[in-house]
Amino acid sequence: MGAGSYGTALAAHLARNGCPTTLWARDARLVAQMRDSAENSRYLPDVPLPESLAYASDIKACLAAATDILIALPSSGFEFSLQQIKQHGQTQCGVVWACKGLQRDTGHFLGDVLTRQLGEAVNHAVISGPTFAAELARGMPTALTVAANSEAYAIRISELLHSNRFRAYISDDIRGVQLGGALKNVYAIAAGISDGLGFGANARVALITRGLAEIRRLGDQLGAKPETLSGLSGTGDLILTCTDDQSRNRRFGLALAEGLSMPAALEKIGQAVEGVAATTAAHGLAREHAVEMPIVEQVYEVVANGKKPHDAVRTLLERAPRTEGS
């Protein structure tokens, strides 16, 4: 479900792996274009899609026929997806999501939203890690984490994804995998702002390292495993998203540093920037659990309250010295 760049890349990969796969998009014109040209020219141009991949805009028919459903929409569309699955999907169908965010209005983890909608018993898994859609779609080497509510289902999904160029590691830490995937976008915005202001590699690496410390502090309060946050879906995704301009969130931070307004920066990116909503959610979680997250605080001031990016960086630099472990 979802024919953006990441959803298209995952669908193409599964189809190439021999898994019968249908890529659903709401936009019938996009579906027709992909079917006719074997390419998603809107979101993943110049990447040929496999002949075995099917396309559809009829959500009822897709869900009724599916044995497993992979949601690759922005997190703002996650609850809509669950409602459609509840209405039209098979009761024994498994649900996987690749959304890297938290629920927009509440800040709730998407796994918690899923179990409230579909029940605890449904097989479900989250996939996350350092993956850019274009590289995955072109068959370049990639690795990520599959965290599920049962080891058997984690193994099932990892086997569907695994190939000689794609490694899928399994985990039972659904909370930790979601936390790393959502919060790394906040720090990517910060890294983009820092680089856009010309502060250099030293500042970027400091932001990444201290960002990981903030994620771990919050993870301790929320029950995430430290090894998860040190792994692919934590440290790995954080480094990737903060350092490469394929990241929409990093490019968004660069645009803000150029002096663009929030709406203008979002328009420049042209696709969902998950870090904006994730910043508000992370800020709320930090306050709720009394966790100090100064980088999150300053990104929040920029995206929610219009603070000038240069002033936000100055606030971080002027903080009092402390021990590294604090």
Side-chain angles (χ1 to χ4, degrees):
M1 294 181 71
S5 56
Y6 196 35
T8 302
L10 286 166
H13 173 73
L14 287 165
R16 290 192 186 102
N17 262 9
C19 177
T21 304
T22 298
L23 177 58
W24 172 84
R26 188 197 306 264
D27 187 342
R29 290 175 298 179
L30 176 60
V31 168
Q33 179 269 304
M34 291 189 293
R35 185 182 291 123
D36 292 342
S37 66
E39 177 188 320
N40 187 336
S41 59
R42 185 185 305 175
Y43 295 114
L44 207 59
D46 302 320
V47 177
L49 301 176
E51 291 183 4
S52 58
L53 181 60
Y55 309 92
S57 58
D58 183 343
I59 195 167
K60 295 180 183 179
C62 283
L63 294 178
T67 56
D68 295 278
I69 299 163
L70 171 55
I71 303 170
L73 293 164
S75 55
S76 59
F78 187 72
E79 194 157 17
F80 159 80
S81 304
L82 298 179
Q83 291 165 354
Q84 296 299 309
I85 292 167
K86 189 173 184 178
Q87 185 175 357
H88 305 297
Q90 303 180 56
T91 55
Q92 74 274 21
C93 190
V95 180
V96 186
W97 69 99
C99 323
K100 294 182 179 180
L102 303 169
Q103 191 176 39
R104 181 182 296 275
D105 297 329
T106 65
H108 292 163
F109 285 88
L110 299 185
D112 297 336
V113 178
L114 183 146
T115 54
R116 284 199 300 271
Q117 287 277 351
L118 303 180
E120 297 275 355
V122 65
N123 282 326
H124 59 274
V126 56
I127 61 174
S128 190
T131 49
F132 284 138
E135 295 185 11
L136 170 59
R138 290 188 172 95
M140 298 173 74
T142 299
L144 51 65
T145 302
V146 178
N149 62 329
S150 76
E151 183 178 16
Y153 196 61
I155 292 171
R156 169 175 163 73
I157 298 305
S158 70
E159 288 176 345
L160 291 176
L161 291 166
H162 203 86
S163 74
N164 60 355
R165 292 200 172 193
F166 191 107
R167 296 192 61 80
Y169 295 86
I170 67 170
S171 170
D172 62 358
D173 187 9
I174 294 177
R175 177 62 58 88
V177 169
Q178 291 180 92
L179 187 67
L183 265 61
K184 56 94 180 181
N185 288 323
V186 181
Y187 300 101
I189 294 173
I193 288 173
S194 178
D195 282 357
L197 293 172
F199 289 136
N202 290 351
R204 184 192 318 123
V205 173
L207 280 169
I208 292 170
T209 308
R210 295 311 300 167
L212 181 59
E214 292 186 14
I215 294 172
R216 284 175 171 165
R217 283 200 294 268
L218 185 60
D220 286 344
Q221 295 296 313
L222 297 175
K225 294 181 178 179
E227 58 267 31
T228 303
L229 300 178
S230 297
L232 288 167
S233 60
T235 303
D237 212 359
L238 179 67
I239 293 170
L240 182 80
T241 312
C242 288
T243 58
D244 194 293
D245 286 347
Q246 292 181 75
S247 164
R248 301 173 201 166
N249 294 278
R250 173 179 161 78
R251 296 200 314 272
F252 176 73
L254 288 167
L256 292 177
E258 290 173 12
L260 271 63
S261 66
M262 277 274 294
L266 291 169
E267 184 177 356
K268 182 176 182 179
I269 302 306
Q271 295 189 58
V273 179
E274 291 276 24
V276 175
T279 297
T280 299
H283 182 261
L285 286 170
R287 292 203 164 189
E288 179 184 350
H289 295 278
V291 176
E292 189 176 20
M293 303 181 75
I295 300 172
V296 167
E297 178 76 29
Q298 291 309 308
V299 176
Y300 176 80
E301 287 297 321
V302 171
V303 302
N305 295 326
K307 189 171 185 175
K308 298 296 183 184
H310 201 286
D311 293 339
V313 175
R314 183 184 297 114
T315 300
L316 287 172
L317 293 173
E318 291 176 350
R319 296 179 71 241
R322 60 187 59 212
T323 60
E324 187 174 17
S326 62

